[in-house]
Amino acid sequence: MMNIPLNGKVCVVTGAASGIGKRIAEVYAHNGGKVVIADLKLDAAEATAQAIRDAGGEALGVEMDVTNEQQVVDGIAKAVATFGQVDVLVSNAGIQIINKITDFKFEDWKKMLAIHLDGAFLTTRECMKDMERRKAPGAIILMGSVHSHLASPLKAPYVTAKHGLLGLARTIAKEGGPLGIRSNVICPGFVRTPLVDKQIPEQAKEFGISEDEVIKKIMLKDTVDGEFTTVDDVANVALTLAAFETNALTGQSIVVSHGWFMQ
Ligand code: NAD
């Protein structure tokens, strides 16, 4: 884990009870951030927050379905009531549903866009309001993907939503610029989390190949070294973006993928 002091910055991380979000929250807390663990279920969010507190950090668990406007409004209000402000948002909550376009259920399409796009918009709006109220700078970090830049079969809504986040980040960067509110998208390659572990057998079935072939011939085929990206790799980039001090680094996407996609 990298060490860059966050000096008490208040950091809201959505989808922080598992995988990438959980590691970002742990790394932020380790570096002196006060973290708000926002996730679907309060007990899961609180369990992550408690583990951080047990390790000597400051953390609050909040129940938040990022597609539910009222829960987002209430969750960010609770973060502000507890820690006084929000300095950093990591809009990270996400799921994956894979299918061919011709087999995709409309409700699954809408669910994917709601979590990835509505969730990013609602959490951004509430956190930016707090920054604007205080006339303070901040960092809005959106969790994109290599699929913010390229497409894969079976992933139409995921690819569409992850591309859309680039537009949102650039708009946040323009509107937030005068106050020093920076916005960037992190674009990881494949990371072994529950989200990816679920896809391996699903893709094997859909393409009629073995799980090992899904990993080697699909997921890691175009990396420079055949390696998965790790939660620590992504958390270190999130730490850098949270601590970065000026608008020099805004409106960008940072690809963390073992060279799978080079821009
Ligand atoms: P994960 O399944 O380990 O964790 C996702 C978390 O999001 C879970 O805790 C889940 O409860 C939460 N969540 C789901 N729906 C939610 C909602 N509506 N409101 C609030 N929380 C919700 O997944 P992960 O791999 O850590 O993925 C995190 C993010 O990283 C996602 O946006 C994903 O698209 C992105 N990403 C993952 C990979 C990868 O390979 N794992 C690669 C690129 C991008």
Side-chain angles (χ1 to χ4, degrees), residues 228-259:
F228 277 101
T229 299
T230 67
V231 290
D232 270 81
D233 293 327
V234 182
N236 286 336
V237 174
L239 176 63
T240 306
L241 289 174
F244 202 83
E245 288 176 337
T246 71
N247 276 339
L249 182 46
T250 195
Q252 304 304 307
S253 79
I254 305 196
V255 183
V256 194
S257 70
H258 283 256

Side-chain angles (χ1 to χ4, degrees), residues 15 17-20 39-40 64-66 92-95 115-116 143-145 158 162 188-191 193-196:
S18 173
I20 293 170
D39 211 298
L40 282 174
M64 185 192 292
D65 176 345
V66 296
N92 164 80
I95 62 165
I115 294 172
H116 292 274
M143 195 54 67
S145 163
Y158 191 80
K162 293 300 191 188
F190 281 103
V191 183
T193 66
L195 180 140
V196 161

Side-chain angles (χ1 to χ4, degrees), residues 26-255:
E26 289 167 353
V27 168
Y28 281 179
H30 181 82
N31 281 279
K34 298 173 186 168
V35 291
V36 179
I37 312 289
D39 211 298
L40 282 174
K41 298 260 170 6
L42 183 60
D43 54 352
E46 248 313 305
T48 303
Q50 186 59 49
I52 288 173
R53 289 194 293 266
D54 290 346
E58 281 192 70
L60 167 76
V62 296
E63 182 173 291
M64 185 192 292
D65 176 345
V66 296
T67 69
N68 181 317
E69 182 175 17
Q70 196 57 50
Q71 285 191 19
V72 174
V73 169
D74 292 347
I76 301 304
K78 192 164 181 200
V80 172
T82 305
F83 291 129
Q85 62 199 62
V86 176
D87 302 294
V88 177
L89 165 68
V90 185
S91 169
N92 164 80
I95 62 165
Q96 181 61 285
I97 302 174
I98 62 168
N99 220 330
K100 286 168 61 186
I101 291 172
T102 46
D103 291 333
F104 236 106
K105 291 197 193 87
F106 188 34
E107 66 203 67
D108 284 344
W109 166 270
K110 285 193 280 195
K111 187 175 179 188
M112 286 292 288
L113 296 199
I115 294 172
H116 292 274
L117 291 179
D118 298 0
F121 160 68
L122 289 170
T123 50
T124 294
R125 188 186 70 186
E126 294 310 303
C127 292
M128 266 183 101
K129 272 190 201 167
D130 173 70
M131 294 167 191
E132 289 191 355
R133 180 180 59 79
R134 294 179 293 111
K135 302 205 181 329
I140 309 275
I141 300 164
L142 307 181
M143 195 54 67
S145 163
V146 162
H147 286 106
S148 299
H149 294 281
L150 51 75
S152 295
L154 309 181
K155 295 188 173 173
Y158 191 80
V159 169
T160 303
K162 293 300 191 188
H163 274 64
L165 292 176
L166 300 177
L168 178 60
R170 290 169 186 151
T171 310
I172 299 165
K174 294 238 175 192
E175 291 189 14
L179 276 181
I181 301 170
R182 298 160 282 107
S183 184
N184 293 287
V185 184
I186 303 179
C187 298
F190 281 103
V191 183
R192 282 308 282 264
T193 66
L195 180 140
V196 161
D197 286 339
K198 175 174 162 282
Q199 273 176 68
I200 295 171
E202 287 174 355
Q203 292 209 24
K205 188 165 166 237
E206 201 65 41
F207 289 121
I209 57 177
S210 71
E211 294 189 14
D212 199 44
E213 284 173 314
V214 170
I215 293 173
K216 293 203 174 110
K217 295 194 176 157
I218 297 179
M219 293 184 164
L220 305 179
K221 170 170 79 69
D222 293 321
T223 61
V224 295
D225 52 12
E227 302 253 348
F228 277 101
T229 299
T230 67
V231 290
D232 270 81
D233 293 327
V234 182
N236 286 336
V237 174
L239 176 63
T240 306
L241 289 174
F244 202 83
E245 288 176 337
T246 71
N247 276 339
L249 182 46
T250 195
Q252 304 304 307
S253 79
I254 305 196
V255 183

